[in-house]
Amino acid sequence: MRSSIKKGLVTALCVAWASSSFATVEFKLGHFGAESHPSHIAAMQFAKQVQARTDGEVEVELYPNNALGSPPEVLEQVIMGVVDMSLSGQDQLAKHVPLFDVVSIPFSLANAEHADRVLDGPFKEWAAPELDKIGLVYLSSWDWGFRQLTNSVRPIMSPADVKGLKIRTPPAMTYQAAMQAIGANVQTISFSELVMAMRQGVVDGQENPIGVIYSLKLYESQKYISIINYLYSSMVHVVSSDAWSQLNAEQQQIVREESDSARLLMRKLMREEEMKQIEDMRDKGIVIDEPELGPFQDMMDPAYEQIKKKVGEDNFDKWIAMTKASM
């Protein structure tokens, strides 16, 4: 009798161990990109590869286009452990970890390749421990692009052409400070209301990467686009520490590797599409200018002073040194 009970207990423990060892871990990943945007295409690759390489033990369910709430809400949910992962804008992360605002220092990144070197290397090493303090694991930086200026009034070839224009920006200090420095009358309008605000003429213009301008068809109400590359913005792939702890070391390594692969895919798609989008908008009759950047850069001192107060002078200087060393 004792022998049969003992055998039964051993069998039950083995079954329990086996079921717990091979139980599927399901993650929710929320982001603000549209389903047709390279961010979601890259996220689909990430989810597919993670599932395949973990033999189905880790599944990632995607929620694009703000399906889980606004970008700040989704990030809050990841920090609280309600949502497992997000692709969050650096400006949203800056509300919790102020040093993320340094990425938005105007004209501090020369081009896309320069941004890649800085964000993938020294910046990630610097920022990852700070994210860890608020319960987030920093996986990788994905692209969102350099931001350009559009309006419905006139071509912008110098800061003088911006003066007095009502320009919409996100509720992010660095973006607003830069636009104010070149003479814009800055207006804050939520992203969800951006298209309607442009169509109704609530504001004269706005700033966003080419991919956003194109995908939202902002060119239908914004005849003039100026390529000024004044500020670089990224999506940051983060996972909550609680969710991360559900994975074993091998699974964590796979997730890191596939996040990196997805990061590279998104960058490739974004940059290839941007050139095509610019040509298509030109074919549609949109005026796309490439003004000299020097006069815009020369007016950034007031913005730099505001940013220094926000992020701290040491952090400001550290970022500038980092970007110069990576040129």
mmCIF file with all atom_site columns, all heavy atoms in Angstrom, residues 75-86:
data_model
loop_
_atom_site.group_PDB
_atom_site.id
_atom_site.type_symbol
_atom_site.label_atom_id
_atom_site.label_alt_id
_atom_site.label_comp_id
_atom_site.label_asym_id
_atom_site.label_entity_id
_atom_site.label_seq_id
_atom_site.pdbx_PDB_ins_code
_atom_site.Cartn_x
_atom_site.Cartn_y
_atom_site.Cartn_z
_atom_site.occupancy
_atom_site.B_iso_or_equiv
_atom_site.pdbx_formal_charge
_atom_site.auth_seq_id
_atom_site.auth_comp_id
_atom_site.auth_asym_id
_atom_site.auth_atom_id
_atom_site.pdbx_PDB_model_num
ATOM 1  N N   . LEU A 1 75 ? 2.783  52.553 -21.521 1.00 0.00 ? 75 LEU A N   1
ATOM 2  C CA  . LEU A 1 75 ? 4.043  52.507 -20.771 1.00 0.00 ? 75 LEU A CA  1
ATOM 3  C C   . LEU A 1 75 ? 3.784  52.382 -19.274 1.00 0.00 ? 75 LEU A C   1
ATOM 4  O O   . LEU A 1 75 ? 4.462  51.612 -18.581 1.00 0.00 ? 75 LEU A O   1
ATOM 5  C CB  . LEU A 1 75 ? 4.878  53.746 -21.074 1.00 0.00 ? 75 LEU A CB  1
ATOM 6  C CG  . LEU A 1 75 ? 6.224  53.818 -20.345 1.00 0.00 ? 75 LEU A CG  1
ATOM 7  C CD1 . LEU A 1 75 ? 7.100  52.605 -20.656 1.00 0.00 ? 75 LEU A CD1 1
ATOM 8  C CD2 . LEU A 1 75 ? 6.957  55.106 -20.704 1.00 0.00 ? 75 LEU A CD2 1
ATOM 9  N N   . GLU A 1 76 ? 2.820  53.124 -18.772 1.00 0.00 ? 76 GLU A N   1
ATOM 10 C CA  . GLU A 1 76 ? 2.462  53.016 -17.350 1.00 0.00 ? 76 GLU A CA  1
ATOM 11 C C   . GLU A 1 76 ? 2.066  51.585 -17.002 1.00 0.00 ? 76 GLU A C   1
ATOM 12 O O   . GLU A 1 76 ? 2.446  51.055 -15.948 1.00 0.00 ? 76 GLU A O   1
ATOM 13 C CB  . GLU A 1 76 ? 1.305  53.957 -17.026 1.00 0.00 ? 76 GLU A CB  1
ATOM 14 C CG  . GLU A 1 76 ? 1.651  55.433 -17.038 1.00 0.00 ? 76 GLU A CG  1
ATOM 15 C CD  . GLU A 1 76 ? 2.283  55.899 -15.742 1.00 0.00 ? 76 GLU A CD  1
ATOM 16 O OE1 . GLU A 1 76 ? 2.479  55.062 -14.840 1.00 0.00 ? 76 GLU A OE1 1
ATOM 17 O OE2 . GLU A 1 76 ? 2.595  57.104 -15.642 1.00 0.00 ? 76 GLU A OE2 1
ATOM 18 N N   . GLN A 1 77 ? 1.313  50.942 -17.902 1.00 0.00 ? 77 GLN A N   1
ATOM 19 C CA  . GLN A 1 77 ? 0.875  49.574 -17.660 1.00 0.00 ? 77 GLN A CA  1
ATOM 20 C C   . GLN A 1 77 ? 2.047  48.596 -17.653 1.00 0.00 ? 77 GLN A C   1
ATOM 21 O O   . GLN A 1 77 ? 2.047  47.622 -16.901 1.00 0.00 ? 77 GLN A O   1
ATOM 22 C CB  . GLN A 1 77 ? -0.151 49.160 -18.716 1.00 0.00 ? 77 GLN A CB  1
ATOM 23 C CG  . GLN A 1 77 ? -1.480 49.884 -18.612 1.00 0.00 ? 77 GLN A CG  1
ATOM 24 C CD  . GLN A 1 77 ? -2.450 49.478 -19.706 1.00 0.00 ? 77 GLN A CD  1
ATOM 25 O OE1 . GLN A 1 77 ? -2.973 48.361 -19.709 1.00 0.00 ? 77 GLN A OE1 1
ATOM 26 N NE2 . GLN A 1 77 ? -2.691 50.377 -20.645 1.00 0.00 ? 77 GLN A NE2 1
ATOM 27 N N   . VAL A 1 78 ? 3.055  48.861 -18.490 1.00 0.00 ? 78 VAL A N   1
ATOM 28 C CA  . VAL A 1 78 ? 4.242  48.005 -18.497 1.00 0.00 ? 78 VAL A CA  1
ATOM 29 C C   . VAL A 1 78 ? 5.016  48.179 -17.189 1.00 0.00 ? 78 VAL A C   1
ATOM 30 O O   . VAL A 1 78 ? 5.474  47.204 -16.584 1.00 0.00 ? 78 VAL A O   1
ATOM 31 C CB  . VAL A 1 78 ? 5.135  48.305 -19.714 1.00 0.00 ? 78 VAL A CB  1
ATOM 32 C CG1 . VAL A 1 78 ? 6.391  47.423 -19.684 1.00 0.00 ? 78 VAL A CG1 1
ATOM 33 C CG2 . VAL A 1 78 ? 4.367  48.031 -21.010 1.00 0.00 ? 78 VAL A CG2 1
ATOM 34 N N   . ILE A 1 79 ? 5.155  49.409 -16.751 1.00 0.00 ? 79 ILE A N   1
ATOM 35 C CA  . ILE A 1 79 ? 5.856  49.665 -15.489 1.00 0.00 ? 79 ILE A CA  1
ATOM 36 C C   . ILE A 1 79 ? 5.151  48.969 -14.326 1.00 0.00 ? 79 ILE A C   1
ATOM 37 O O   . ILE A 1 79 ? 5.787  48.410 -13.431 1.00 0.00 ? 79 ILE A O   1
ATOM 38 C CB  . ILE A 1 79 ? 5.971  51.184 -15.239 1.00 0.00 ? 79 ILE A CB  1
ATOM 39 C CG1 . ILE A 1 79 ? 6.909  51.813 -16.273 1.00 0.00 ? 79 ILE A CG1 1
ATOM 40 C CG2 . ILE A 1 79 ? 6.481  51.471 -13.827 1.00 0.00 ? 79 ILE A CG2 1
ATOM 41 C CD1 . ILE A 1 79 ? 6.928  53.331 -16.255 1.00 0.00 ? 79 ILE A CD1 1
ATOM 42 N N   . MET A 1 80 ? 3.812  48.960 -14.368 1.00 0.00 ? 80 MET A N   1
ATOM 43 C CA  . MET A 1 80 ? 3.036  48.318 -13.303 1.00 0.00 ? 80 MET A CA  1
ATOM 44 C C   . MET A 1 80 ? 2.954  46.808 -13.469 1.00 0.00 ? 80 MET A C   1
ATOM 45 O O   . MET A 1 80 ? 2.476  46.104 -12.582 1.00 0.00 ? 80 MET A O   1
ATOM 46 C CB  . MET A 1 80 ? 1.629  48.914 -13.252 1.00 0.00 ? 80 MET A CB  1
ATOM 47 C CG  . MET A 1 80 ? 1.588  50.366 -12.808 1.00 0.00 ? 80 MET A CG  1
ATOM 48 S SD  . MET A 1 80 ? -0.099 50.985 -12.566 1.00 0.00 ? 80 MET A SD  1
ATOM 49 C CE  . MET A 1 80 ? -0.742 50.901 -14.238 1.00 0.00 ? 80 MET A CE  1
ATOM 50 N N   . GLY A 1 81 ? 3.380  46.294 -14.638 1.00 0.00 ? 81 GLY A N   1
ATOM 51 C CA  . GLY A 1 81 ? 3.327  44.856 -14.878 1.00 0.00 ? 81 GLY A CA  1
ATOM 52 C C   . GLY A 1 81 ? 2.002  44.354 -15.400 1.00 0.00 ? 81 GLY A C   1
ATOM 53 O O   . GLY A 1 81 ? 1.777  43.147 -15.487 1.00 0.00 ? 81 GLY A O   1
ATOM 54 N N   . VAL A 1 82 ? 1.101  45.281 -15.781 1.00 0.00 ? 82 VAL A N   1
ATOM 55 C CA  . VAL A 1 82 ? -0.204 44.890 -16.327 1.00 0.00 ? 82 VAL A CA  1
ATOM 56 C C   . VAL A 1 82 ? -0.059 44.465 -17.789 1.00 0.00 ? 82 VAL A C   1
ATOM 57 O O   . VAL A 1 82 ? -0.678 43.505 -18.241 1.00 0.00 ? 82 VAL A O   1
ATOM 58 C CB  . VAL A 1 82 ? -1.216 46.047 -16.211 1.00 0.00 ? 82 VAL A CB  1
ATOM 59 C CG1 . VAL A 1 82 ? -2.552 45.667 -16.831 1.00 0.00 ? 82 VAL A CG1 1
ATOM 60 C CG2 . VAL A 1 82 ? -1.387 46.445 -14.748 1.00 0.00 ? 82 VAL A CG2 1
ATOM 61 N N   . VAL A 1 83 ? 0.757  45.207 -18.542 1.00 0.00 ? 83 VAL A N   1
ATOM 62 C CA  . VAL A 1 83 ? 1.156  44.838 -19.905 1.00 0.00 ? 83 VAL A CA  1
ATOM 63 C C   . VAL A 1 83 ? 2.622  44.435 -19.834 1.00 0.00 ? 83 VAL A C   1
ATOM 64 O O   . VAL A 1 83 ? 3.385  44.980 -19.039 1.00 0.00 ? 83 VAL A O   1
ATOM 65 C CB  . VAL A 1 83 ? 0.948  46.015 -20.882 1.00 0.00 ? 83 VAL A CB  1
ATOM 66 C CG1 . VAL A 1 83 ? 1.514  45.703 -22.259 1.00 0.00 ? 83 VAL A CG1 1
ATOM 67 C CG2 . VAL A 1 83 ? -0.541 46.355 -20.985 1.00 0.00 ? 83 VAL A CG2 1
ATOM 68 N N   . ASP A 1 84 ? 3.013  43.455 -20.645 1.00 0.00 ? 84 ASP A N   1
ATOM 69 C CA  . ASP A 1 84 ? 4.352  42.875 -20.504 1.00 0.00 ? 84 ASP A CA  1
ATOM 70 C C   . ASP A 1 84 ? 5.434  43.648 -21.243 1.00 0.00 ? 84 ASP A C   1
ATOM 71 O O   . ASP A 1 84 ? 6.557  43.794 -20.734 1.00 0.00 ? 84 ASP A O   1
ATOM 72 C CB  . ASP A 1 84 ? 4.326  41.424 -21.018 1.00 0.00 ? 84 ASP A CB  1
ATOM 73 C CG  . ASP A 1 84 ? 3.248  40.614 -20.340 1.00 0.00 ? 84 ASP A CG  1
ATOM 74 O OD1 . ASP A 1 84 ? 3.356  40.398 -19.128 1.00 0.00 ? 84 ASP A OD1 1
ATOM 75 O OD2 . ASP A 1 84 ? 2.278  40.227 -21.029 1.00 0.00 ? 84 ASP A OD2 1
ATOM 76 N N   . MET A 1 85 ? 5.134  44.113 -22.448 1.00 0.00 ? 85 MET A N   1
ATOM 77 C CA  . MET A 1 85 ? 6.136  44.772 -23.290 1.00 0.00 ? 85 MET A CA  1
ATOM 78 C C   . MET A 1 85 ? 5.529  45.963 -23.998 1.00 0.00 ? 85 MET A C   1
ATOM 79 O O   . MET A 1 85 ? 4.318  46.008 -24.234 1.00 0.00 ? 85 MET A O   1
ATOM 80 C CB  . MET A 1 85 ? 6.640  43.822 -24.385 1.00 0.00 ? 85 MET A CB  1
ATOM 81 C CG  . MET A 1 85 ? 7.519  42.694 -23.958 1.00 0.00 ? 85 MET A CG  1
ATOM 82 S SD  . MET A 1 85 ? 8.022  41.749 -25.433 1.00 0.00 ? 85 MET A SD  1
ATOM 83 C CE  . MET A 1 85 ? 9.212  40.637 -24.680 1.00 0.00 ? 85 MET A CE  1
ATOM 84 N N   . SER A 1 86 ? 6.396  46.899 -24.394 1.00 0.00 ? 86 SER A N   1
ATOM 85 C CA  . SER A 1 86 ? 5.938  47.998 -25.242 1.00 0.00 ? 86 SER A CA  1
ATOM 86 C C   . SER A 1 86 ? 7.071  48.477 -26.125 1.00 0.00 ? 86 SER A C   1
ATOM 87 O O   . SER A 1 86 ? 8.253  48.245 -25.851 1.00 0.00 ? 86 SER A O   1
ATOM 88 C CB  . SER A 1 86 ? 5.411  49.164 -24.400 1.00 0.00 ? 86 SER A CB  1
ATOM 89 O OG  . SER A 1 86 ? 6.462  49.763 -23.661 1.00 0.00 ? 86 SER A OG  1
#
